[in-house]
Amino acid sequence: MSSRRTLNTFVTNLVDRFAFDTYGIDAKSQALFRIFYASLFLVIGGLPSWVWIGDKPSVLFQPPPISLTNFVASSFPPAGFFISLEIIVCLLYVALLFGFYTRITSVLLAVFLTIGFSFEFSFGKIGHFAMLMILVPLMMSFSNWGTLWSIDARYRHAQPNPNRAAWPIAFMVLCFGFAMFSASVPKIIAGWLDPATQAVRGYMLRFYYVQGSRELLLPYLVDFTSKGVWEAMDWMGVGLELTFLLAILRRQLFRFYLLVTISFHIANLLIFNINDFYLNTYFYALFFNYTLITERMSPLASQRLGSFFNYVNLALVAGAAVVWYRFFTLSPFFTALEALSLNFDEATLVLLFAMLALALTDAVLSLRQRQPTPAVGAL
């Protein structure tokens, strides 16, 4: 009985430390992430678009067994439904930026994103990036990210709750770890680590000869046949995903894994021209050390930031966001890079390298700290 109690105590302490200490951050850091997160979608990445679904024939409506669409529709709704859905999501992101009834806004945003993506995935293919988009506002609705630098703080006198400093973030870290782990299992089962074959090189050749990709580094690597290098890439990719669950137990190790993961996405873009990973950067931004930024903010800067969040600015930004979203197809970020004659792959590469620079800066600043801060910032 004594050994069992000791084991139970150890497990309980481990879970408590992970859930309430390891990734805890102050309300300022959570508020800064809220502003950063909403701005990324409104300005850089662009909001999801579903209006194109309204033109598709009902014969293509084949939702998976577990789907919201099975309970609300038997075919694709008209385009007007999706236009309204897009505008609602746009306005909710603006409300999130300003911290307007933040908790309700966060839950509603997760709900409407779920509705939109449920119809998008009714063609049979599921994009896992959507899970991250839905998970962040849903879980952060339980956090303190609306209690500072927001309309809620200025007019509704919202107060931070110390019990919400860490567990929503720790839960998302855990989900991220399981997602990475689950990505490694099919690769292992399929023989990805078989030394007789090089899976990464096989994918590269398929992208080049079957899909006709000729961008970035792909044409230069087709004739590179070093078996040892390609086999090492197979093992590195699977090893990273397989051990991610262990890395989340230590904040410093998790930070290192995050750096490697962003570098891995850059390599995928350079070699395979896979540009969808830029969507993951919005989730990774959750894990930077915003505490280091907020500690260096002057009282005047903090006051001016807080004064921005009022009803007048909310109305102005909401109107501008809807107009921009309905009449322009690209985000301001990608539009600006397009003016510099960069294609989408190159623009995505710029965004990923910027995220890598932020992650490196976060790591360097954290190493220079004498005392550890409560949560790797970002979270």
Side-chain angles (χ1 to χ4, degrees):
M1 287 296 294
S2 177
S3 60
R4 179 176 297 180
R5 288 178 181 176
T6 302
L7 179 61
N8 290 340
T9 301
F10 172 78
V11 172
T12 301
N13 291 338
L14 181 66
V15 172
D16 286 346
R17 186 167 59 251
F18 174 79
F20 301 108
D21 296 327
T22 303
Y23 292 101
I25 56 174
D26 58 24
K28 283 186 178 180
S29 298
Q30 294 188 14
L32 195 60
F33 170 70
R34 185 198 81 242
I35 297 169
F36 184 46
Y37 171 78
S39 299
L40 280 173
F41 278 100
L42 290 169
V43 179
I44 296 181
L47 300 173
S49 177
W50 301 295
V51 67
W52 55 273
I53 301 177
D55 298 329
K56 298 299 182 287
S58 299
V59 68
L60 299 178
F61 185 75
Q62 299 291 333
I66 303 178
S67 174
L68 180 65
T69 55
N70 289 321
F71 302 98
V72 299
S74 57
S75 63
F76 295 117
F81 169 84
F82 293 106
I83 292 175
S84 301
L85 187 61
E86 290 179 8
I87 293 176
I88 290 173
V89 168
C90 180
L91 292 175
L92 286 173
Y93 268 110
V94 173
L96 184 63
L97 172 66
F98 281 82
F100 179 70
Y101 286 91
T102 312
R103 184 164 302 169
I104 297 175
T105 296
S106 301
V107 174
L108 289 177
L109 180 58
V111 169
F112 282 102
L113 286 173
T114 301
I115 294 173
F117 284 119
S118 294
F119 282 104
E120 181 175 339
F121 299 154
S122 294
F123 294 93
K125 177 177 173 56
I126 297 177
H128 296 91
F129 66 88
M131 309 305 174
L132 301 181
M133 291 181 63
I134 296 169
L135 182 65
V136 171
L138 179 61
M139 293 310 303
M140 292 303 286
S141 67
F142 298 99
S143 73
N144 292 314
W145 74 340
T147 58
L148 286 172
W149 296 322
S150 63
I151 288 178
D152 287 349
R154 182 165 182 169
Y155 298 103
R156 301 182 62 237
H157 308 292
Q159 296 295 324
N161 186 335
N163 294 327
R164 299 174 185 151
W167 78 262
I169 300 164
F171 181 83
M172 285 186 282
V173 173
L174 184 63
C175 290
F176 186 33
F178 271 110
M180 296 293 285
F181 177 79
S182 65
S184 68
V185 175
K187 293 184 178 68
I188 296 174
I189 296 176
W192 191 282
L193 302 181
D194 187 348
T197 60
Q198 286 72 54
V200 173
R201 186 167 188 266
Y203 271 89
M204 181 198 66
L205 295 176
R206 189 187 73 178
F207 272 80
Y208 186 83
Y209 289 109
V210 179
Q211 299 184 205
S213 297
R214 297 292 187 274
E215 292 82 12
L216 302 175
L217 297 182
L218 189 57
Y220 304 100
L221 295 175
V222 170
D223 297 326
F224 184 72
T225 59
S226 174
K227 182 177 179 179
V229 173
W230 290 114
E231 187 65 24
M233 293 180 68
D234 290 351
W235 281 82
M236 288 172 59
V238 173
L240 174 69
E241 296 171 340
L242 188 64
T243 59
F244 222 99
L245 267 179
L246 297 176
I248 68 175
L249 297 177
R250 296 293 300 271
R251 202 175 70 194
Q252 295 291 346
L253 186 58
F254 176 79
R255 180 185 287 111
F256 171 75
Y257 267 62
L258 194 62
L259 274 170
V260 176
T261 301
I262 296 174
S263 302
F264 175 74
H265 292 330
I266 292 175
N268 274 335
L269 176 57
L270 290 173
I271 297 175
F272 302 116
N273 307 131
I274 300 176
N275 54 37
D276 291 339
F277 285 117
Y278 85 93
L279 293 167
N280 291 20
T281 59
Y282 312 128
F283 186 71
Y284 299 157
L286 180 63
F287 309 122
F288 297 147
N289 199 337
Y290 295 103
T291 303
L292 298 175
I293 299 175
T294 57
E295 286 178 348
R296 289 164 173 77
M297 289 182 65
S298 66
L300 180 61
S302 179
Q303 182 180 0
R304 288 180 175 176
L305 182 60
S307 65
F308 175 73
F309 296 98
N310 56 62
Y311 292 111
V312 175
N313 286 333
L314 172 62
L316 291 175
V317 175
V322 171
V323 170
W324 176 269
Y325 188 56
R326 288 306 304 149
F327 294 100
F328 297 90
T329 57
L330 293 176
S331 71
F333 173 82
F334 286 113
T335 302
L337 291 181
E338 189 180 55
L340 298 176
S341 300
L342 295 178
N343 61 35
F344 187 78
D345 286 341
E346 293 166 335
T348 303
L349 193 61
V350 171
L351 180 60
L352 286 174
F353 270 114
M355 191 63 60
L356 180 63
L358 288 174
L360 285 170
T361 302
D362 170 45
V364 171
L365 290 176
S366 298
L367 289 174
R368 287 181 178 179
Q369 282 188 308
R370 293 184 178 180
Q371 298 294 331
T373 55
V376 93
L379 290 172

